[in-house]
């Protein structure tokens, strides 16, 4: 599997990469199976969600992707009547925002290791906890 293109999140005044896909949880809960065009192996899901954490709440503020039949995907495609943002009340879980320089590249999913990960826990779309995890490279065996 190829390393995947991250979601985008606006958090604490910065646009950051997010190595979690909360919209996939919405699709599963709603029983929706959208058929996105897959343009490259680095984007198997076919879309990139853009998110914002505003006053402790997670919002979906955009979707970039194309549905089969060459139809652009928008927020209103999946959330009629909500053209600007949607409160992610369906999402309970942890999002990972990699921070700093890349320490180890993994050619699959979101497996690469960075200096730090900012972990944000959500309960029904509300921030419940944040943790900054400091990472290091795994110890290498001696070549004796």
């Amino acid at each position: 599997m190829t390393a995947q293109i991250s979601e985008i999140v606006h958090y604490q005044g910065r646009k950051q990469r997010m190595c979690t896909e909360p919209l996939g949880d919405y699709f599963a809960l709603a029983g929706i199976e959208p058929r996105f065009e897959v343009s490259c192996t680095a984007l198997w899901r076919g879309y990139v969600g853009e998110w914002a954490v505003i006053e402790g709440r997670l919002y979906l503020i955009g979707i970039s992707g194309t549905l089969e039949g060459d139809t652009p995907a928008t927020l209103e495609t999946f959330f009629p009547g909500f053209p600007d943002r949607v409160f992610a009340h369906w999402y309970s879980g942890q999002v990972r925002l990699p921070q700093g320089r890349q320490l180890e590249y993994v050619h699959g999913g979101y497996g690469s290791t960075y200096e730090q990960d900012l972990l944000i826990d959500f309960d029904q779309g509300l921030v419940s906890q944040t943790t900054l995890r400091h990472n290091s490279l795994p110890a290498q065996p001696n070549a004796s």
Side-chain angles (χ1 to χ4, degrees):
M1 180 178 198
T2 303
Q4 295 297 292
I5 295 170
S6 301
E7 300 278 274
I8 302 297
V9 63
H10 300 262
Y11 181 70
Q12 295 184 335
R14 291 181 44 219
K15 188 174 177 180
Q16 302 182 56
R17 293 169 303 166
M18 183 170 82
C19 295
T20 312
E21 300 165 7
L23 190 54
D25 288 13
Y26 174 77
F27 291 150
L29 288 168
I32 299 171
E33 295 182 28
R35 301 182 65 92
F36 285 94
E37 300 262 346
V38 177
S39 58
C40 70
T41 59
L43 192 58
W44 284 116
R45 67 189 179 280
Y47 69 89
V48 174
E50 188 166 352
W51 304 83
V53 177
I54 303 168
E55 296 179 0
R57 298 166 65 101
L58 181 63
Y59 291 92
L60 177 62
I61 61 171
I63 300 171
S64 297
T66 303
L67 296 165
E68 286 185 353
D70 211 27
T71 305
T74 67
L75 283 180
E76 288 227 64
T77 304
F78 303 105
F79 303 95
F82 293 90
D84 301 319
R85 69 180 189 184
V86 177
F87 174 53
H89 61 84
W90 68 86
Y91 187 70
S92 292
Q94 186 175 78
V95 299
R96 175 179 159 240
L97 283 57
Q99 312 280 300
R101 68 182 174 87
Q102 187 178 67
L103 300 176
E104 178 183 38
Y105 172 76
V106 175
H107 193 68
Y110 301 119
S112 294
T113 303
Y114 292 82
E115 289 178 307
Q116 302 170 345
D117 287 314
L118 178 58
L119 306 171
I120 307 172
D121 294 309
F122 289 92
D123 183 13
Q124 296 181 328
L126 300 173
V127 173
S128 61
Q129 178 178 330
T130 59
T131 306
L132 185 62
R133 178 177 64 201
H134 298 272
N135 299 314
S136 60
L137 288 173
Q140 300 295 317
N142 287 341
S144 327

